[in-house]
Amino acid sequence: MKDEYSGAVKEAAGRIHATIPANLVEKFAKTCTIRPSDFIHCEPAPCGEVCAIDGSNVMLLESGSMALAVVRAAQTTFVDMERKRRSVTPMRFALIGPEEENQDFPVLYADCFGQPPGKTLSNEDITRAAGILRDTLEYWVAETMAKELGPGALLLRDGPLRVSHESHNPVLTRIALTCYDRDLGLAGISKRSAATWGGGHPLLPAVFGFAKTNKIKAPWWIKIDPAILDHTPHAQWQHGEMYVACLHERSKGPLKIELPKEIGNEAAEVMSRLAGCSADGRIPGYPYPLFDAHRTVVITEEITAQLKGDLLGQLADAGIDRQTYEILFGDYHDEFARY
């Protein structure tokens, strides 16, 4: 049994290692024809006005037929790294199931954008449904801030400039057009990326390893040619082009950054401003306004416990007794853990 377990662990580690072999950098340079000259050094610049937007969602209750999610979004706005404004949306509760289509999505969408969504939201994938409900609030906050920020400000989203649901496509289109018309910078910042090349090799470690091997000094950035990637997302839902950047010399790794397709030579200015707000000692290399937005919006364990307590009281008032609640939402694993 011990040998079988050791073999399983070894096999799992080997499969992961196969995606990042010892010659990853050499293979990346040869397969994707990447050169050191493709990397552009950027000097940190005063960041000016920067608005960061993030969202959060948790599953409060979950049964075989339904789940209850709570979502919210927040923005924090800085001027030369001093916070000037911060706001958080109210908590929104959404029941995912038991119907095939989500009943709260059209209500939330209409509340945010004044019209019904162009497409319904399926409840089949609970996690995806909760994420799209959260995205709805994030896009509403982003569109609001795009209209209110001063000319030349930078609007950051935690995530890509790509929608995951058809109904958000016209919203992100409006946000991008508003930013263009009002001379705002727009960027989607991702800590992780599913992008791969060469049949399954992850992109970020390859780019970062190439930069280290060739002693390219941070902060740097590079535009990624989509032709080198294994897969490309739906073009009609993609509103940005992909870059990889390392924004500080002590960064633990690179970020995937998406900028609007029309940005042209202004990409260098955006990268320098991002580097200018990514020198916080706690997480060097990550834009501090986004870090602050995350801390503002995150639904912590303490908040979740309070929400569950308040919800239990309301369920009791509604006539759902404890035994019925346990049948619906009880988790035997909690009981297993006691023994």
Side-chain angles (χ1 to χ4, degrees), residues 278-335:
S278 298
D280 183 78
R282 286 164 290 188
I283 310 182
Y286 189 75
Y288 182 79
L290 274 174
F291 175 45
D292 188 68
H294 169 79
R295 293 196 303 168
T296 299
V297 78
V298 64
I299 302 174
T300 62
E301 291 184 4
E302 291 78 11
I303 295 174
T304 302
Q306 179 182 340
L307 292 172
K308 284 186 176 180
D310 294 342
L311 185 60
L312 280 172
Q314 291 297 319
L315 288 173
D317 291 345
I320 297 179
D321 59 52
R322 185 73 187 192
Q323 185 172 21
T324 302
Y325 170 84
E326 290 294 342
I327 292 171
L328 280 172
F329 303 111
D331 189 348
Y332 273 105
H333 293 91
D334 292 339
E335 296 299 317

Side-chain angles (χ1 to χ4, degrees), residues 186-225:
L186 176 65
I189 313 288
S190 301
K191 299 175 284 296
R192 296 180 179 180
S193 174
T196 60
W197 58 275
H201 301 298
L203 177 67
L204 295 187
V207 175
F208 193 62
F210 185 96
K212 288 183 64 178
T213 299
N214 289 276
K215 296 181 172 54
I216 298 169
K217 184 179 179 181
W220 52 256
W221 59 275
I222 179 174
K223 186 175 182 180
I224 301 299
D225 182 352

Side-chain angles (χ1 to χ4, degrees), residues 54-137:
D54 198 1
S56 183
N57 65 276
V58 297
M59 214 66 72
L60 290 180
L61 300 175
E62 194 168 355
S63 73
S65 61
M66 72 184 89
L68 183 69
V70 61
V71 300
R72 69 177 179 179
Q75 67 82 21
T76 57
T77 301
F78 288 73
V79 176
D80 292 330
M81 293 307 294
E82 182 178 347
R83 189 198 301 127
K84 296 295 185 180
R85 182 176 175 186
R86 177 166 63 178
S87 58
V88 188
T89 67
M91 299 278 192
R92 295 294 295 254
F93 294 83
L95 195 63
I96 303 176
E99 300 89 356
E100 289 186 6
E101 295 179 356
N102 191 274
Q103 304 300 300
D104 290 308
F105 179 59
V107 176
L108 177 62
Y109 193 97
D111 286 348
C112 289
F113 307 116
Q115 63 187 54
K119 186 177 182 180
T120 59
L121 174 61
S122 170
N123 282 327
E124 182 178 2
D125 186 331
I126 292 175
T127 301
R128 178 176 181 271
I132 289 170
L133 290 161
R134 179 203 64 225
D135 286 349
T136 303
L137 284 178

Side-chain angles (χ1 to χ4, degrees), residues 131-149:
I132 289 170
L133 290 161
R134 179 203 64 225
D135 286 349
T136 303
L137 284 178
E138 285 191 41
Y139 286 128
W140 174 63
V141 174
E143 186 168 28
T144 300
M145 296 308 299
K147 297 174 182 177
E148 297 181 1
L149 293 170

